[in-house]
Amino acid sequence: MLLHIPSLFAADELLRIREALAQADWADGKVTAGHQSAKAKHNLQLPEAHPLAKEIGSALIERLWQTPQFMSAALPHKVFPPLINCYREGGNFGFHIDNALRQPKGSAERVRTDLSATLFLSDPDSYDGGELVIQDTYGTQQIKLAAGHMVLYPGTSLHKVNPVTRGERYAAFFWTQSLVREDSQRALLFEMDNAIQQLSADLPDHPSLLQLTGTYHNLLRRWAEV
Protein backbone atom coordinates (compact mmCIF):
# COMPACT_ATOMS: atom_id res chain seq x y z
CA MET A 1 0.00 0.00 0.00
CA LEU A 2 1.33 3.41 -1.02
CA LEU A 3 -0.29 6.39 0.70
CA HIS A 4 0.00 10.16 0.19
CA ILE A 5 -0.48 12.14 3.42
CA PRO A 6 -0.80 15.89 2.71
CA SER A 7 -0.06 19.11 4.59
CA LEU A 8 1.82 18.02 7.69
CA PHE A 9 3.59 21.39 7.86
CA ALA A 10 2.39 24.87 6.92
CA ALA A 11 4.16 27.09 4.38
CA ASP A 12 5.64 29.43 7.01
CA GLU A 13 6.99 26.50 9.02
CA LEU A 14 8.58 24.99 5.92
CA LEU A 15 10.23 28.29 5.05
CA ARG A 16 11.82 28.48 8.52
CA ILE A 17 12.94 24.84 8.25
CA ARG A 18 14.57 25.39 4.86
CA GLU A 19 16.32 28.55 6.06
CA ALA A 20 17.76 26.62 9.01
CA LEU A 21 18.79 23.68 6.80
CA ALA A 22 20.58 26.01 4.39
CA GLN A 23 22.86 27.05 7.27
CA ALA A 24 23.38 23.55 8.69
CA ASP A 25 26.59 21.51 8.73
CA TRP A 26 25.91 18.40 6.67
CA ALA A 27 27.62 14.99 6.81
CA ASP A 28 28.02 12.27 4.19
CA GLY A 29 24.74 10.36 3.87
CA LYS A 30 26.55 7.01 3.73
CA VAL A 31 26.89 7.10 7.51
CA THR A 32 23.43 5.55 8.02
CA ALA A 33 23.43 3.27 4.96
CA GLY A 34 23.91 -0.48 5.06
CA HIS A 35 26.88 -2.13 3.32
CA GLN A 36 25.13 -2.56 -0.03
CA SER A 37 23.11 0.69 0.13
CA ALA A 38 26.26 2.73 0.80
CA LYS A 39 27.51 1.86 -2.67
CA ALA A 40 24.46 3.53 -4.24
CA LYS A 41 23.99 6.46 -1.84
CA HIS A 42 25.25 9.91 -2.84
CA ASN A 43 23.70 12.59 -0.67
CA LEU A 44 24.14 14.64 2.48
CA GLN A 45 22.53 14.07 5.86
CA LEU A 46 22.25 15.77 9.24
CA PRO A 47 23.86 13.65 11.98
CA GLU A 48 21.29 11.81 14.11
CA ALA A 49 22.22 13.83 17.19
CA HIS A 50 22.06 17.20 15.39
CA PRO A 51 19.70 19.55 17.32
CA LEU A 52 17.93 20.64 14.12
CA ALA A 53 17.30 17.03 13.07
CA LYS A 54 15.87 16.30 16.51
CA GLU A 55 13.68 19.41 16.43
CA ILE A 56 12.23 18.66 12.99
CA GLY A 57 11.85 14.96 13.81
CA SER A 58 10.02 15.61 17.08
CA ALA A 59 7.63 18.04 15.39
CA LEU A 60 6.95 15.51 12.61
CA ILE A 61 6.23 12.65 15.03
CA GLU A 62 3.89 14.91 17.01
CA ARG A 63 1.96 15.77 13.81
CA LEU A 64 1.75 12.12 12.76
CA TRP A 65 0.29 11.09 16.11
CA GLN A 66 -2.48 13.62 15.44
CA THR A 67 -3.07 12.47 11.84
CA PRO A 68 -5.85 9.84 11.67
CA GLN A 69 -4.83 8.74 8.16
CA PHE A 70 -1.31 7.82 9.33
CA MET A 71 -2.53 6.14 12.52
CA SER A 72 -5.07 4.05 10.60
CA ALA A 73 -2.71 3.06 7.77
CA ALA A 74 0.49 2.47 9.75
CA LEU A 75 -0.91 1.19 13.07
CA PRO A 76 2.41 2.31 14.56
CA HIS A 77 4.13 0.40 17.34
CA LYS A 78 7.61 1.98 17.15
CA VAL A 79 8.96 4.82 15.02
CA PHE A 80 12.61 5.35 14.18
CA PRO A 81 13.43 9.03 14.86
CA PRO A 82 13.23 10.92 11.55
CA LEU A 83 16.45 11.76 9.71
CA ILE A 84 17.01 14.72 7.40
CA ASN A 85 18.80 14.55 4.06
CA CYS A 86 19.79 16.83 1.21
CA TYR A 87 20.37 16.09 -2.47
CA ARG A 88 22.32 18.72 -4.42
CA GLU A 89 23.28 18.73 -8.08
CA GLY A 90 24.32 15.20 -9.01
CA GLY A 91 23.07 13.74 -5.71
CA ASN A 92 21.15 10.49 -6.02
CA PHE A 93 20.45 7.17 -4.34
CA GLY A 94 20.34 4.09 -6.59
CA PHE A 95 17.87 1.24 -6.26
CA HIS A 96 17.95 -0.44 -2.85
CA ILE A 97 15.79 -2.03 -0.16
CA ASP A 98 16.00 -0.55 3.33
CA ASN A 99 17.61 -2.58 6.12
CA ALA A 100 15.06 -4.79 7.89
CA LEU A 101 16.08 -3.51 11.35
CA ARG A 102 17.23 -0.09 12.52
CA GLN A 103 18.65 0.86 15.89
CA PRO A 104 18.48 4.52 16.94
CA LYS A 105 21.79 5.89 18.13
CA GLY A 106 22.15 5.53 21.88
CA SER A 107 19.16 3.17 22.17
CA ALA A 108 19.13 -0.55 22.95
CA GLU A 109 15.79 -0.94 21.16
CA ARG A 110 15.58 -1.89 17.49
CA VAL A 111 12.83 -0.95 15.03
CA ARG A 112 11.62 -3.35 12.33
CA THR A 113 11.17 -1.32 9.14
CA ASP A 114 7.69 -2.42 8.07
CA LEU A 115 6.96 1.00 6.55
CA SER A 116 9.20 3.64 4.99
CA ALA A 117 8.22 7.30 4.75
CA THR A 118 9.54 10.44 3.06
CA LEU A 119 8.36 13.94 3.95
CA PHE A 120 9.23 16.44 1.21
CA LEU A 121 10.53 19.76 2.59
CA SER A 122 11.47 21.55 -0.66
CA ASP A 123 9.03 23.07 -3.14
CA PRO A 124 9.05 20.82 -6.23
CA ASP A 125 9.64 23.82 -8.52
CA SER A 126 12.86 24.68 -6.68
CA TYR A 127 14.76 21.63 -7.97
CA ASP A 128 14.87 19.36 -11.01
CA GLY A 129 14.99 15.58 -10.73
CA GLY A 130 14.98 14.07 -7.25
CA GLU A 131 11.88 11.94 -7.79
CA LEU A 132 11.38 9.07 -5.36
CA VAL A 133 10.89 5.97 -7.54
CA ILE A 134 9.18 3.01 -5.86
CA GLN A 135 8.77 -0.46 -7.36
CA ASP A 136 6.40 -2.96 -5.81
CA THR A 137 3.42 -5.18 -6.60
CA TYR A 138 1.42 -2.06 -7.54
CA GLY A 139 3.95 -1.17 -10.28
CA THR A 140 6.49 1.65 -10.54
CA GLN A 141 5.61 5.04 -9.07
CA GLN A 142 7.57 8.29 -9.48
CA ILE A 143 6.82 10.61 -6.59
CA LYS A 144 7.65 14.28 -6.20
CA LEU A 145 5.26 15.87 -3.73
CA ALA A 146 4.59 19.40 -2.60
CA ALA A 147 6.55 20.64 0.41
CA GLY A 148 4.97 19.42 3.64
CA HIS A 149 3.46 16.32 2.03
CA MET A 150 4.54 12.78 2.88
CA VAL A 151 4.49 9.39 1.16
CA LEU A 152 4.17 6.16 3.17
CA TYR A 153 5.04 2.83 1.54
CA PRO A 154 6.10 -0.75 2.42
CA GLY A 155 9.68 -1.10 3.65
CA THR A 156 10.02 -4.18 1.45
CA SER A 157 9.81 -2.02 -1.71
CA LEU A 158 12.74 -1.55 -4.08
CA HIS A 159 13.20 2.21 -4.42
CA LYS A 160 15.61 4.96 -5.46
CA VAL A 161 15.98 8.75 -5.66
CA ASN A 162 16.66 10.10 -9.15
CA PRO A 163 19.62 12.46 -9.58
CA VAL A 164 18.98 16.10 -8.72
CA THR A 165 20.14 18.21 -11.67
CA ARG A 166 19.27 21.68 -10.30
CA GLY A 167 18.68 23.13 -6.87
CA GLU A 168 18.44 21.33 -3.54
CA ARG A 169 16.01 18.66 -2.38
CA TYR A 170 15.48 18.59 1.39
CA ALA A 171 13.47 15.77 2.95
CA ALA A 172 12.83 13.94 6.21
CA PHE A 173 12.68 10.15 6.19
CA PHE A 174 11.97 7.49 8.77
CA TRP A 175 10.68 3.96 9.38
CA THR A 176 7.76 2.56 11.34
CA GLN A 177 7.33 -0.81 12.99
CA SER A 178 3.64 -1.56 12.74
CA LEU A 179 1.47 -3.53 15.14
CA VAL A 180 0.56 -5.54 12.01
CA ARG A 181 3.61 -6.87 10.17
CA GLU A 182 2.00 -7.86 6.83
CA ASP A 183 1.27 -5.09 4.33
CA SER A 184 -1.75 -6.92 2.89
CA GLN A 185 -3.31 -7.21 6.35
CA ARG A 186 -2.65 -3.54 7.13
CA ALA A 187 -4.23 -2.56 3.79
CA LEU A 188 -7.34 -4.60 4.58
CA LEU A 189 -7.68 -3.02 8.02
CA PHE A 190 -7.15 0.46 6.54
CA GLU A 191 -9.88 -0.07 3.95
CA MET A 192 -12.26 -1.42 6.59
CA ASP A 193 -11.53 1.49 8.94
CA ASN A 194 -12.23 3.97 6.11
CA ALA A 195 -15.52 2.22 5.35
CA ILE A 196 -16.53 2.31 9.03
CA GLN A 197 -15.74 6.03 9.27
CA GLN A 198 -17.70 6.78 6.08
CA LEU A 199 -20.68 4.75 7.25
CA SER A 200 -20.53 6.47 10.65
CA ALA A 201 -20.72 9.85 8.92
CA ASP A 202 -23.46 8.91 6.43
CA LEU A 203 -25.60 6.49 8.47
CA PRO A 204 -24.58 6.79 12.12
CA ASP A 205 -27.47 4.62 13.33
CA HIS A 206 -26.99 1.80 10.83
CA PRO A 207 -27.07 -1.56 12.67
CA SER A 208 -24.17 -2.92 10.57
CA LEU A 209 -21.78 -0.45 12.19
CA LEU A 210 -21.58 -2.51 15.37
CA GLN A 211 -20.84 -5.69 13.43
CA LEU A 212 -18.25 -4.04 11.15
CA THR A 213 -16.47 -2.38 14.06
CA GLY A 214 -16.40 -5.66 15.94
CA THR A 215 -14.98 -7.47 12.93
CA TYR A 216 -12.28 -4.81 12.54
CA HIS A 217 -11.15 -5.19 16.13
CA ASN A 218 -11.29 -8.98 16.01
CA LEU A 219 -9.02 -8.96 12.94
CA LEU A 220 -6.69 -6.48 14.62
CA ARG A 221 -6.65 -8.69 17.74
CA ARG A 222 -5.75 -11.69 15.58
CA TRP A 223 -2.97 -9.97 13.61
CA ALA A 224 -1.46 -7.46 16.04
CA GLU A 225 1.94 -8.06 17.63
CA VAL A 226 2.60 -6.17 20.85
Side-chain angles (χ1 to χ4, degrees):
M1 179 174 61
L2 188 151
L3 188 64
H4 172 197
I5 299 177
S7 305
L8 290 172
F9 286 86
D12 59 330
E13 294 175 307
L14 290 162
L15 179 60
R16 289 196 297 271
I17 288 172
R18 289 194 295 268
E19 288 175 345
L21 292 175
Q23 304 299 318
D25 293 324
W26 295 88
D28 192 325
K30 295 182 189 293
V31 69
T32 57
H35 175 69
Q36 289 298 322
S37 295
K39 300 175 184 178
K41 190 174 187 181
H42 307 282
N43 67 359
L44 301 172
Q45 191 169 300
L46 290 186
E48 285 186 51
H50 195 290
L52 183 56
K54 289 187 171 184
E55 181 182 350
I56 296 170
S58 295
L60 173 54
I61 295 299
E62 185 178 339
R63 304 292 168 88
L64 291 172
W65 251 240
Q66 299 170 10
T67 303
Q69 192 180 22
F70 173 79
M71 299 301 291
S72 177
L75 295 168
H77 179 43
K78 302 176 189 176
V79 175
F80 188 96
L83 301 170
I84 314 297
N85 62 21
C86 173
Y87 291 82
R88 291 174 177 157
E89 291 188 22
N92 69 92
F93 197 164
F95 272 123
H96 63 285
I97 292 177
D98 292 331
N99 289 355
L101 298 171
R102 291 278 181 174
Q103 187 168 354
K105 205 166 195 175
S107 172
E109 193 171 59
R110 289 185 288 181
V111 176
R112 190 181 65 233
T113 59
D114 297 326
L115 292 151
S116 299
T118 296
L119 170 71
F120 290 79
L121 297 171
S122 297
D123 289 317
D125 292 339
S126 69
Y127 64 98
D128 292 334
E131 298 87 359
L132 174 62
V133 181
I134 303 172
Q135 289 185 356
D136 209 315
T137 53
Y138 42 75
T140 300
Q141 305 283 334
Q142 288 204 55
I143 299 161
K144 187 174 181 178
L145 299 180
H149 293 223
M150 190 181 87
V151 62
L152 183 71
Y153 60 98
T156 54
S157 302
L158 189 67
H159 59 286
K160 69 174 181 175
V161 176
N162 282 338
V164 169
T165 58
R166 176 187 65 87
E168 293 181 325
R169 175 198 189 268
Y170 296 125
F173 64 103
F174 65 96
W175 299 273
T176 300
Q177 178 173 329
S178 177
L179 291 167
V180 176
R181 183 195 298 251
E182 291 296 326
D183 180 60
S184 59
Q185 293 172 344
R186 286 195 307 272
L188 200 62
L189 289 167
F190 181 57
E191 290 173 4
M192 185 176 288
D193 190 28
N194 285 337
I196 291 169
Q197 291 182 46
Q198 190 62 54
L199 189 58
S200 298
D202 296 342
L203 298 166
D205 299 320
H206 199 289
S208 294
L209 266 173
L210 181 62
Q211 184 179 6
L212 279 172
T213 302
T215 300
Y216 172 88
H217 284 285
N218 285 334
L219 287 172
L220 182 58
R221 186 177 292 110
R222 175 185 290 269
W223 292 334
E225 303 171 2
V226 293

